[in-house]
Amino acid sequence: MPSPIIVLVAPQLGENIGAVARAMGNFGLSELRIVRPRDGWPNPAAEAMAAHAAPIIQSARIFPSLPEAIGDCHRVYATSARLRDMRKPTVTARECAQQIPSNEKTAFLFGRENSGLSNDELTYAHALLTIPVDPTCPSINLAQAVVITAYEWFQAQHSPITAELDKKAPPASQQELYSFFDQLEQQLDQGYFWKVIEKKPRMWRNIRNLFLRAEPSSQEVNTLHGILSALTRQK
Amino acid sequence: MPSPIIVLVAPQLGENIGAVARAMGNFGLSELRIVRPRDGWPNPAAEAMAAHAAPIIQSARIFPSLPEAIGDCHRVYATSARLRDMRKPTVTARECAQQIPSNEKTAFLFGRENSGLSNDELTYAHALLTIPVDPTCPSINLAQAVVITAYEWFQAQHSPITAELDKKAPPASQQELYSFFDQLEQQLDQGYFWKVIEKKPRMWRNIRNLFLRAEPSSQEVNTLHGILSALTRQK
């Protein structure tokens, strides 16, 4: 039964990465993945700040891109302070902790200290995770956002609610979905779907969000592939 | 309706004090009191780390002793990682947040980064507050312990449970209690109560804990004063 994975996207300060690892250790998380850390890797400041959780830093994995970092995950939550103009379900850290099935590999995404996650990065998530804060002082330190998310997950492990979680078929892995997205994009390109090419990035984000919201299972992704093949054969 | 007060006892690093202030601001707390900060005050590192919560640092009050810092509080919780050999109620951060009546001035005590609160300092608390952690990695960073405590308080403000809280007579202020303790101690000294003087610190702690557990109201403290006067007049 894997614990959720913490994914830091382009974090800036080694001290913050270390503080994240320490917070993870406090609440039973051990797998840290980092996408393009600004100051390179390994980072001695991270290990120093991690204290007893230094093994989490030592076994952290580095990725060149976000899709590669979450390829094997079934469920992805992106933390976001700001409300976004995006059709995605939004849950609080507490609600989220109570809805994670234990048989799915889950990732929590955290963005850069100064600017969070980009809209493009958010499209990889099934849902946005928010921490309700005082609106007059909403900017949470990176490690403190991680500690609250991890804390809620850890508390929920000891609550009866999660034990009752529906054991339905898990959603497809991100890799399966990406493979479908790649084929779909290729077909749309070939079909001159994007009438105004400048609008493609935004339109393509919205399309991917639509499929993510549906949380298709592996079998359903296969079905989507089949539909795509069937449609393109007719051209 | 006052928000709870954060009391740091002998904190060591200005950076941690600043991170505490930032965490407080995120979750609607504004009053910071500091007992004997190791590196003096003001501390530029604290203000730098506080980010948008710098006003909390600027208005923080410094005290030479813990009793002075919490003299006007009705209810005092001491955070403690270790289980202590002490007869005191223990609550989790979540339980605590749901039991704070809005008409009582409440303080949360946090100890030094390296050693927490001393047994003597713990005696000033009505209850111990714990944060359930992974036992293999239990040491929580100071600001992260504060952020979880403040986060739980803030979430509870928006829950129906706290709105239902019993509005019974609040316990006496700490000043009222100390005035009674001072008189009691003086009388016990004069009466050669401490047969072995080396044992006095521990015995006296246990006695104070006993009275604190009773959570006497102002009127009951007056009654205790009366009892003390009545008993000592008979000598």
Side-chain angles (χ1 to χ4, degrees):
Chain A
M1 186 165 76
S3 299
I5 297 156
I6 298 293
V7 181
L8 303 182
V9 178
Q12 299 167 308
L13 291 171
E15 287 80 358
N16 283 336
I17 301 171
V20 163
R22 181 167 174 183
M24 290 172 61
N26 290 150
F27 297 109
L29 303 186
S30 58
E31 192 168 349
L32 176 62
R33 301 181 180 181
I34 311 178
V35 179
R36 298 188 307 277
R38 185 192 66 182
D39 296 341
W41 200 259
N43 185 327
E47 200 164 323
M49 196 75 177
H52 297 295
I56 293 176
I57 293 294
Q58 288 149 10
S59 61
R61 290 167 61 196
I62 308 299
F63 293 85
S65 76
L66 177 56
E68 288 166 278
I70 55 176
D72 60 340
C73 298
H74 299 103
R75 192 175 282 263
V76 178
Y77 293 94
T79 56
S80 177
R82 286 166 289 152
L83 290 176
R84 310 278 187 144
D85 178 24
M86 202 173 275
R87 285 200 57 202
K88 254 189 210 304
T90 299
V91 292
T92 65
R94 184 161 302 172
E95 290 163 351
C96 174
Q98 291 166 348
Q99 65 180 216
I100 300 174
S102 61
N103 60 346
E104 296 181 11
K105 205 172 228 190
T106 298
F108 294 120
L109 312 186
F110 294 84
R112 301 146 189 81
E113 286 93 330
N114 56 0
S115 59
L117 294 162
S118 70
N119 281 345
D120 243 357
E121 288 158 354
L122 287 177
T123 58
Y124 292 101
H126 295 91
L128 300 185
L129 184 156
T130 65
I131 296 172
V133 292
D134 187 326
T136 65
C137 206
S139 161
I140 306 186
N141 167 274
L142 173 59
Q144 294 189 329
V146 171
V147 83
I148 288 170
T149 306
Y151 165 80
E152 285 287 6
W153 176 80
F154 188 79
Q155 309 310 311
Q157 294 312 296
H158 305 287
S159 94
I161 298 171
T162 44
E164 296 288 321
L165 261 190
D166 189 8
K167 293 288 184 281
K168 60 179 182 179
S173 74
Q174 296 290 94
Q175 267 155 353
E176 293 171 295
L177 263 180
Y178 298 160
S179 145
F180 167 68
F181 286 157
D182 285 347
Q183 292 213 18
L184 178 60
E185 185 179 12
Q186 201 182 325
Q187 294 300 334
L188 293 176
D189 285 345
Q190 289 177 17
Y192 303 103
F193 172 82
W194 326 101
K195 302 215 169 56
V196 183
I197 198 68
E198 290 75 19
K199 291 191 180 169
K200 176 181 168 184
R202 186 183 168 85
M203 290 171 73
W204 182 223
R205 269 208 303 272
N206 290 341
I207 290 168
R208 281 180 293 156
N209 272 335
L210 182 153
F211 283 103
L212 276 170
R213 271 206 313 280
E215 297 196 9
S217 67
S218 292
Q219 196 175 338
E220 289 167 332
V221 171
N222 286 339
T223 306
L224 288 171
H225 272 293
I227 291 172
L228 199 58
S229 302
L231 296 178
T232 51
R233 267 197 304 272
Q234 293 179 358
K235 279 201 300 198
Chain B
M1 188 165 73
S3 299
I5 297 156
I6 298 293
V7 181
L8 303 182
V9 178
Q12 299 167 308
L13 291 172
E15 286 79 359
N16 284 335
I17 302 171
V20 163
R22 181 168 173 183
M24 291 172 61
N26 291 150
F27 298 110
L29 303 186
S30 58
E31 192 168 348
L32 176 62
R33 300 180 181 181
I34 311 176
V35 178
R36 298 188 309 275
R38 185 192 68 181
D39 295 341
W41 199 258
N43 185 327
E47 201 165 323
M49 196 76 176
H52 296 296
I56 293 176
I57 292 293
Q58 288 149 10
S59 62
R61 290 166 60 197
I62 307 299
F63 293 86
S65 76
L66 177 55
E68 289 165 277
I70 55 176
D72 60 340
C73 298
H74 299 103
R75 192 175 283 264
V76 178
Y77 293 93
T79 55
S80 177
R82 286 164 290 154
L83 290 176
R84 309 278 188 146
D85 178 24
M86 202 174 276
R87 287 199 57 203
K88 255 189 210 301
T90 299
V91 293
T92 66
R94 185 161 299 173
E95 290 163 351
C96 175
Q98 290 165 347
Q99 68 179 217
I100 300 175
S102 61
N103 60 346
E104 296 181 12
K105 204 172 228 188
T106 298
F108 294 120
L109 312 186
F110 294 84
R112 300 146 191 81
E113 286 93 329
N114 55 1
S115 60
L117 294 161
S118 71
N119 280 345
D120 242 357
E121 289 158 352
L122 287 176
T123 58
Y124 292 102
H126 295 90
L128 301 185
L129 184 156
T130 65
I131 296 172
V133 291
D134 186 328
T136 66
C137 205
S139 160
I140 307 185
N141 167 275
L142 173 60
Q144 293 189 329
V146 171
V147 83
I148 288 169
T149 306
Y151 164 79
E152 284 286 8
W153 177 81
F154 188 79
Q155 308 311 311
Q157 294 312 296
H158 305 288
S159 95
I161 298 171
T162 44
E164 297 288 322
L165 260 191
D166 190 8
K167 293 285 184 282
K168 62 179 180 176
S173 75
Q174 296 290 91
Q175 265 156 354
E176 292 171 295
L177 264 180
Y178 296 159
S179 143
F180 167 67
F181 285 157
D182 285 347
Q183 290 212 18
L184 178 61
E185 184 179 14
Q186 201 180 325
Q187 294 299 333
L188 293 175
D189 285 346
Q190 288 179 16
Y192 302 103
F193 173 81
W194 327 99
K195 300 213 169 59
V196 182
I197 198 66
E198 290 75 19
K199 293 191 179 168
K200 177 183 168 182
R202 187 183 167 87
M203 291 171 72
W204 182 224
R205 269 207 303 270
N206 291 340
I207 291 168
R208 281 181 292 157
N209 272 336
L210 183 152
F211 283 104
L212 275 171
R213 271 205 314 279
E215 296 197 7
S217 66
S218 292
Q219 196 175 338
E220 288 167 333
V221 171
N222 285 339
T223 305
L224 288 171
H225 272 292
I227 292 172
L228 199 58
S229 302
L231 296 177
T232 52
R233 265 198 306 273
Q234 293 178 358
K235 282 198 301 197

